[in-house]
Amino acid sequence: MSRRTTLLPSGPPVDPYILAILGTVGVAALLPASGAAATVADGASTGVIALLFFLYGARLSTREALDGLRHWRLHVTVLAATFVVFPLLGLAAKGLVPAVLTPPLYSGLLFLCLVPSTVQSSIAFTSIARGNVPAAICAGSFSSLAGVVLTPLLAAFLLGSTAGGFSADSVTQIVLQLLVPFLAGQLLRRWVGGFVRRNKKVLGYVDRGSILLVVYTAFSHGMVAGIWHQVTPARLGLLLAAEAVLLAVMLSLTWFGAARLGFGREDRIAIQFAGSKKSLAAGLPMASVLFGPQAALAVLPLMLFHQMQLLVCTVIAKRRARDPEAEPTPESALEPGTPLEPGPAPESAATATRR
């Protein structure tokens, strides 16, 4: 099996990274870090989260993203779907507690509704469906930039004590582990951007390895605390059903809502794929900072939603590509083997436009 997510002509994507995460969860279940090992794992996890957000900042070109403001209505629509509509649906899901979801699983479901959109998979599916690829790049970039600030703030406000609330310690932790490294990456991008581009493949492995460490640390805490007794197969099935409804509602709202707002076909495709997705790469480290020892259950809904969105959006993208009004796919369109999530962001919207 390829180590990278591939878009197979005959079926939905096979995401080996999800398998790697599940394998890491298995290792944490059998050999959880405890005592001195847990202290070392916590320190290493804190360091790699800071590194991740530094690299996110170094990759995102603020100037080139701002060039996309010419299409501001599209980007506002995607941001509204990501940080307004999704959270409102998450709050409405409170009615599923406790009959369908346990309080910890609901907290995880609400958290996934607060996570920013993806960059890579939004571009991949928009390209396959023959939509507005430059707009998808800009929309994903805007969402990532906004999510560094909005996701922790929304989580602290909507999840309250579950995610640490607005205590001085939690705010300091968010600023030091997420915002400061991200801003440092943005400020130093002029000097380190070239290195990041030249070594994007190697740094992609750093991303993946770092997130696996975060997953191991979070699930080790869960095993030591015995929180998995709260999750039964029936609860997992109900969680999957709730997430399937959530994804279906967002895919419908972004597609038909964009039509009501007067967007054309290519823009509607970009809005649908950028506005209905959630980033596993950004969400996992954020959850580790916000939830601490409770992060294992908090990230479970996000992990399941991530794979579900890949499967469903692959089918939709291929159907959109067969629309009679679809333009022929350019030769330089997305090639098979492009990583969907996580990994280095595309170099720039300007590059995509030139394509």
Side-chain angles (χ1 to χ4, degrees), residues 1 4 26 71 79 91 94 107 125 137 156 162 187 190 206 217 243 276 290 306:
M1 181 182 294
R4 303 174 71 181
H71 212 351
L79 287 175
L91 290 173
K94 184 67 178 292
S107 295
F125 291 124
I137 293 175
T162 305
L187 292 173
R190 177 179 177 183
V206 173
T217 304
E243 292 192 333
S276 64
L290 294 169
H306 170 77

Side-chain angles (χ1 to χ4, degrees), residues 84-95:
V84 178
V85 180
F86 251 119
L88 288 175
L89 291 175
L91 290 173
K94 184 67 178 292

Side-chain angles (χ1 to χ4, degrees), residues 28-279:
L30 295 173
L31 299 169
S34 60
T39 302
V40 172
D42 286 341
S45 179
T46 299
V48 298
I49 288 171
L51 175 62
L52 279 172
F53 277 83
F54 175 81
L55 291 175
Y56 292 160
R59 287 177 184 135
L60 284 173
S61 173
T62 307
R63 176 183 297 178
E64 289 163 342
L66 291 176
D67 288 341
L69 285 176
R70 293 188 303 271
H71 212 351
W72 63 270
R73 288 181 64 246
L74 184 148
H75 304 312
V76 169
T77 301
V78 171
L79 287 175
T82 303
F83 295 113
V84 178
V85 180
F86 251 119
L88 288 175
L89 291 175
L91 290 173
K94 184 67 178 292
L96 300 177
V97 181
V100 176
L101 300 175
T102 63
L105 288 179
Y106 169 70
S107 295
L109 181 67
L110 180 55
F111 174 72
L112 93 80
C113 291
L114 311 180
V115 171
S117 178
T118 65
V119 179
Q120 289 87 358
S121 60
S122 297
I123 298 165
F125 291 124
T126 300
S127 177
I128 293 168
R130 303 174 186 177
N132 189 336
V133 175
I137 293 175
C138 289
S141 298
F142 289 150
S143 182
S144 296
L145 286 167
V148 174
V149 176
L150 290 180
T151 297
L153 291 179
L154 286 172
F157 179 70
L158 296 178
L159 290 165
S161 59
T162 305
F166 277 109
S167 69
D169 287 343
S170 64
V171 172
T172 300
Q173 198 173 25
I174 290 168
V175 170
L176 292 180
Q177 284 191 250
L178 305 181
L179 189 57
V180 169
F182 180 84
L183 293 177
Q186 283 279 287
L187 292 173
L188 296 176
R189 188 178 185 277
R190 177 179 177 183
W191 295 278
V192 303
F195 174 83
V196 170
R197 287 192 296 272
R198 289 191 302 271
N199 297 276
K200 60 182 179 180
K201 183 175 182 181
V202 174
L203 293 176
Y205 291 124
V206 173
D207 278 1
R208 291 167 172 80
S210 299
I211 291 174
L212 290 179
L213 176 59
V214 172
V215 170
Y216 173 75
T217 304
F219 279 82
S220 290
H221 282 303
M223 289 301 299
V224 172
I227 63 174
W228 292 111
H229 296 299
Q230 305 173 33
V231 183
T232 64
R235 289 290 187 184
L236 283 178
L238 292 171
L239 173 62
L240 283 170
E243 292 192 333
V245 172
L246 176 65
L247 181 60
V249 169
M250 286 306 302
L251 287 169
S252 300
L253 286 177
T254 50
W255 180 251
F256 295 108
R260 291 293 299 271
L261 292 173
F263 289 101
R265 176 190 175 278
E266 292 187 355
D267 290 344
R268 290 172 68 193
I269 289 172
I271 291 170
Q272 182 178 49
F273 289 127
S276 64
K277 291 212 180 33
K278 292 297 179 178
S279 173

